[in-house]
């Protein structure tokens, strides 16, 4: 059965979703089926390889759009079946994109690591969590790893009064997950198939739990991504795609990485965000919400199609 791409959007971001669809078509020429979940609206976008799937809005998700991901992935498994690659709608795929790279025969989803080892890129956020590690670090705006907080012998964060860091630690404590089994991963792309049904159901059930959602700021500080990582670690997963994308919203940076095969282990801008592990392995670009920059990038991709 042919692997399919899943994207989702509400009406506000349909122009962003269309840019992603256009970038996929540039690189694949309508050869890949795309299932476009439209939340609360009917789309007029029409391509031969596009299936528009209406999805009823969920009132509980009004304040946090990210929570649609698990519900939509679970719906896709049960409604369409087969193997899928979910992609955030603010992605543009580049010349190296190949859907076969995302083959997944495991009973858990595969995701990509991100530019930082903790989900705290622009500085620490705080909560009432305990943490297991004796230190907690984050990546500063200069790209350097810094000590965010210290903990006492009981695992509680010390430092300024009332400043205890928001991260995945509270949910780890709740589920008895004492250590990571791999680096933190992001949910901008998710490769999964029918063998992953039980995992996706657990993910969906966790973030829909009303007790946890009532305490979402503490237990789900990074939305569905926090829950995804805790389940992966709880299940002992050690495999991921590493960092195969670049965070950027700038067409010039996309052009640079598309044309240069020798960018290694560096931040293209001094922002702690545009980390490039290896430009030869950059398959897509995440963060393109600006319409003008996206159009410049799409025009470049079209002109330089291999």
């Amino acid at each position: 059965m042919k692997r399919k791409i899943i994207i989702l959007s509400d009406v506000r971001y349909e122009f962003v979703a269309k840019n992603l669809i256009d970038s996929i078509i540039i690189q694949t020429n309508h050869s890949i089926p795309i299932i476009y979940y439209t939340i609360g609206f009917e789309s007029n976008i029409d391509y031969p390889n596009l299936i528009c799937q209406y999805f009823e809005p969920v009132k509980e998700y009004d304040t946090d759009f990210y929570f649609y991901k698990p519900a939509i992935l679970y719906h896709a498994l049960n409604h369409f079946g087969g193997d899928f690659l979910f992609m955030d709608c603010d992605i543009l795929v580049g010349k190296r994109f190949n859907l076969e790279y995302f083959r997944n025969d495991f009973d858990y989803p595969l995701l990509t690591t991100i530019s930082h080892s903790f989900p705290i890129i622009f500085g620490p956020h705080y909560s009432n969590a305990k943490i297991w590690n004796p230190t907690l670090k984050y990546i500063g705006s200069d790209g350097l790893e810094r000590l965010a907080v210290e903990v006492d012998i009981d695992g509680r964060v010390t430092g300024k009064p009332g400043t205890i860091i928001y991260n995945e630690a509270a949910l780890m404590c709740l589920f008895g997950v004492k250590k990571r089994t791999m680096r933190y991963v992001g949910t901008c792309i998710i490769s999964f198939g029918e063998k992953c049904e039980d995992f996706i159901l657990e993910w969906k059930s966790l973030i829909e739990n009303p007790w946890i959602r009532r305490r979402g700021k503490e237990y789900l500080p990074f939305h569905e991504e926090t829950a995804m990582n805790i389940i992966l670690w709880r299940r002992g997963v050690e495999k991921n795609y590493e960092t195969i994308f670049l965070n950027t919203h700038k067409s010039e940076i996309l052009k640079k990485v598309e044309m240069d095969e020798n960018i290694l282990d560096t931040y293209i801008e001094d922002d702690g965000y545009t980390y490039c592990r290896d430009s030869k392995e950059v398959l897509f670009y995440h963060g393109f919400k600006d319409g003008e920059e996206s159009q410049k990038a799409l025009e470049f991709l079209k002109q330089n199609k291999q």
Side-chain angles (χ1 to χ4, degrees):
M1 189 176 293
K2 201 165 190 178
R3 191 170 290 103
K4 298 171 279 290
I5 290 176
I6 295 175
I7 64 176
L8 67 89
S9 172
D10 63 8
V11 69
R12 297 171 301 170
Y13 286 97
E14 178 161 49
F15 76 98
V16 179
K18 185 177 184 304
N19 291 334
L20 167 58
I21 295 167
D22 287 344
S23 75
I24 295 170
I25 290 172
I26 288 170
Q27 304 301 339
T28 65
N29 193 29
H30 299 282
S31 64
I32 297 174
I34 302 171
I35 305 171
Y36 175 29
Y37 278 86
T38 59
I39 299 173
F41 76 105
E42 300 285 353
S43 176
N44 293 320
I45 301 177
D46 184 20
Y47 289 118
N49 59 324
L50 185 68
I51 301 169
C52 290
Q53 174 66 50
Y54 176 84
F55 199 82
E56 190 69 32
V58 179
K59 183 178 180 181
E60 289 79 7
Y61 298 167
D62 285 349
T63 58
D64 207 327
F65 191 75
Y66 298 99
F67 288 130
Y68 277 103
K69 286 185 189 179
I72 283 175
L73 268 57
Y74 190 70
H75 180 276
L77 281 171
N78 288 280
H79 189 75
F80 295 100
D83 299 321
F84 304 92
L85 177 66
F86 168 82
M87 307 185 81
D88 275 353
C89 69
D90 61 340
I91 284 173
L92 297 179
V93 305
K95 67 179 182 181
R96 307 176 189 94
F97 179 77
N98 182 351
L99 193 59
E100 287 304 305
Y101 180 88
F102 297 98
R103 184 177 297 278
N104 179 4
D105 294 322
F106 299 105
D107 61 357
Y108 54 84
L110 290 172
L111 303 92
T112 177
T113 55
I114 51 182
S115 58
H116 40 286
S117 58
F118 286 89
I120 308 165
I121 187 166
F122 297 118
H125 303 259
Y126 300 104
S127 77
N128 295 316
K130 289 183 178 180
I131 64 174
W132 293 101
N133 299 325
T135 62
L136 177 65
K137 296 181 179 180
Y138 72 97
I139 303 298
S141 60
D142 57 2
L144 299 177
E145 192 174 62
R146 302 193 185 287
L147 182 64
V149 291
E150 295 179 348
V151 296
D152 62 22
I153 194 170
D154 296 318
R156 289 196 176 278
V157 177
T158 61
K160 296 180 181 179
T163 56
I164 301 180
I165 201 154
Y166 271 136
N167 64 3
E168 70 276 11
L171 198 62
M172 289 178 74
C173 290
L174 185 65
F175 283 91
V177 180
K178 295 190 175 183
K179 66 178 182 179
R180 297 178 173 198
T181 56
M182 63 176 177
R183 187 180 167 108
Y184 186 95
V185 292
T187 57
C188 59
I189 65 103
I190 304 170
S191 172
F192 67 104
E194 293 178 358
K195 291 181 181 179
C196 303
E197 192 268 350
D198 183 71
F199 187 106
I200 300 299
L201 179 59
E202 181 180 1
W203 186 34
K204 177 176 179 290
S205 300
L206 195 161
I207 70 158
E208 290 178 352
N209 181 293
W211 187 89
I212 291 176
R213 285 188 58 80
R214 183 179 294 179
R215 299 159 177 82
K217 190 175 182 181
E218 179 176 359
Y219 288 112
L220 301 171
F222 290 86
H223 321 286
E224 88 301 341
E225 196 171 274
T226 306
M228 169 64 79
N229 278 276
I230 267 61
I231 298 171
L232 288 166
W233 300 335
R234 189 183 69 79
R235 292 184 178 220
V237 175
E238 298 178 342
K239 185 176 178 61
N240 59 64
Y241 291 124
E242 298 190 343
T243 309
I244 54 171
F245 74 101
L246 189 79
N247 276 318
T248 185
H249 60 278
K250 297 180 180 180
S251 59
E252 289 301 318
I253 292 180
L254 177 147
K255 293 176 187 178
K256 178 180 177 65
V257 176
E258 286 288 286
M259 297 178 70
D260 190 341
E261 299 286 306
N262 299 300
I263 304 173
L264 296 173
D265 192 26
T266 188
Y267 286 88
I268 295 176
E269 291 192 322
D270 186 20
D271 57 2
Y273 183 69
T274 52
Y275 175 71
C276 184
R277 185 177 65 89
D278 185 345
S279 57
K280 294 190 299 295
E281 297 181 3
V282 172
L283 307 185
F284 62 93
Y285 303 86
H286 180 239
F288 273 94
K289 296 184 178 73
D290 181 270
E292 183 177 348
E293 285 296 305
S294 297
Q295 288 306 309
K296 290 179 183 177
L298 286 170
E299 187 60 32
F300 169 83
L301 292 170
K302 190 180 300 182
Q303 292 176 358
N304 290 270
K305 172 71 172 72
Q306 293 182 341

